Amino acid sequence: MTPEDVLPDALLERIRSRAAGYDRDNSFFHEDLEELTEAGYLKLFVPASDGGMGFGLEAAAQCQRRLATAAPATALAINMHLVWTGVAHVLKARGDDSLDFVLKEAAGGEIFAFGNSEAGNDAVLFDSRTTAAPLPDGGYTFTGTKIFTSLSPVWTRLGIFGKDPDARDGSGELVHGFITRATGGYRILDDWDTLGMRASQSSTTVLEGVQVPADRIFRKLPVGPNADPLIFAIFACFETLLAAVYTGLGERALAIGVETVKSRSSFKNGGRSYAQDPDIRWKVAEAAMAMDNLYPQLKLVAADVDALTDHGGQWFPKLVGLKVNATETARRVVDLAIRVSGGSSYFRGSELERLYRDVLAGMFHPSDDESAHNTVANAWLGPLET
């Protein structure tokens, strides 16, 4: 099965037709989710033996790229479910079955969301502002605030983590677990009113002593960078699938720009198409060349994850480099598409106007531009001297 089989053109067009309304109304993509669920899309990483697609990261990334050409906000939110199922898949391929239950539950229709991001935590996965307090039975209570929790209206499983500051002789320990929708002790704020990516409904989640039982605690890691396979799997899936979404967004912007240029005519040049204007042609060519550089990078990184390629210390630079390249390229391509499309793209309701707002979210996803450059510089030059 191919991405085109999973997302046929007719389904993509229905999803595209709803995107503007979700954005205008700041509403969740319930109809998109229903159709995607019926198509088996939330089971991309679930093994075929369990009723899923049995895809690897490369095929899933191509699906997300395709979905994002129709509705970037829908694709971005679905990403969070696919990250967790992708992490389970990547770990399983490396002999780690600690998250096999994620694939089993996804096969049964559960929807996973990512509750790790925290305001002011630029250490991302290597520290936490959320407190994890141990319980006598091996479980933990979690108290803290998680931001950008996509799929807020519908998730049934939320992955969270926090820090037990007293563990490991006071050096602290990062504890990872899952809560269910029915678990008490958390609140979802109605605070998602943003510039773009509005349909994702990535609301803030406040953890107020929410309890995670021992059998839903799946990792305990030291504070700070470490080589645990979970960290690699999360970065690999999160950064690659994120890059796929923004690649699809840029792809769509370029297509709209080309279509608009061909249909626009120049009054001062006797009604000739703007496709005959050398300056316009240069901008379209610049956008096309930028996208052509991005497609093979996305494909190669995802394929290397699937192939268990050992890049050693270069893996994280490759992953964060892909994310930054995808988000920045998409932003540049959207800008060029608007420039060649004229004033109509400035009006509310224009698809390019929406893509212009959506693409700005790319700068807020980890790893941000500064962190990514630091990661790459450390890999090539070593850490800064102290």
Side-chain angles (χ1 to χ4, degrees), residues 283-349:
K283 288 183 172 64
V284 170
E286 183 180 5
M289 288 188 290
M291 291 304 303
D292 282 344
N293 285 332
L294 183 54
Y295 297 133
Q297 185 184 14
L298 174 63
K299 180 179 179 64
L300 181 60
V301 170
D304 280 357
V305 174
D306 288 339
L308 279 65
T309 303
D310 183 8
H311 286 300
Q314 288 294 328
W315 251 127
F316 287 98
K318 287 181 181 295
L319 293 168
V320 300
L322 170 63
K323 180 269 174 179
V324 169
N325 190 29
T327 54
E328 292 299 313
T329 295
R331 188 163 61 89
R332 186 163 71 253
V333 168
V334 171
D335 182 78
L336 287 166
I338 286 177
R339 289 175 184 272
V340 302
S341 295
S344 62
S345 63
Y346 191 64
F347 280 82
R348 289 282 288 150

Side-chain angles (χ1 to χ4, degrees), residues 46-54 104 107:
V46 173
S49 59
D50 290 332
M53 302 293 178
K104 291 290 186 182

Side-chain angles (χ1 to χ4, degrees), residues 257 261 264 274-286 339-341:
V261 164
R264 291 180 68 206
Y274 271 98
Q276 302 303 310
D277 185 307
D279 293 330
I280 297 294
R281 294 171 68 89
W282 185 90
K283 288 183 172 64
V284 170
E286 183 180 5
R339 289 175 184 272
V340 302
S341 295

Side-chain angles (χ1 to χ4, degrees), residues 1-2 5-6 36-56 59-60 63 81-82 85 89 100 102-110:
M1 185 171 285
T2 68
D5 295 324
V6 179
L36 290 169
T37 300
E38 290 177 357
Y41 196 83
L42 274 64
K43 301 179 183 180
L44 292 182
F45 287 110
V46 173
S49 59
D50 290 332
M53 302 293 178
F55 281 4
C63 287
H81 172 84
L82 293 179
T85 54
H89 167 81
D100 278 7
V102 169
L103 296 172
K104 291 290 186 182
E105 293 182 9
E110 303 296 349

Side-chain angles (χ1 to χ4, degrees), residues 197-281:
M197 293 294 186
R198 287 160 63 81
S200 69
Q201 291 300 296
S202 307
S203 302
T204 297
T205 304
V206 182
L207 308 177
E208 300 173 319
V210 62
Q211 292 190 20
V212 180
D215 63 353
R216 304 296 284 191
I217 298 294
F218 63 89
R219 228 28 156 245
K220 298 179 184 179
L221 300 174
V223 174
N226 67 83
D228 189 277
L230 175 69
I231 301 300
F232 170 77
I234 291 176
F235 267 94
C237 294
F238 191 94
E239 302 291 69
T240 304
L241 292 172
L242 195 68
V245 168
Y246 285 90
T247 300
L249 194 159
E251 182 177 347
R252 177 61 179 169
L254 174 59
I256 295 172
V258 169
E259 180 181 327
T260 305
V261 164
K262 288 181 177 179
S263 65
R264 291 180 68 206
S265 59
S266 172
F267 178 74
K268 71 177 182 180
N269 286 325
R272 297 179 69 197
S273 166
Y274 271 98
Q276 302 303 310
D277 185 307
D279 293 330
I280 297 294
R281 294 171 68 89

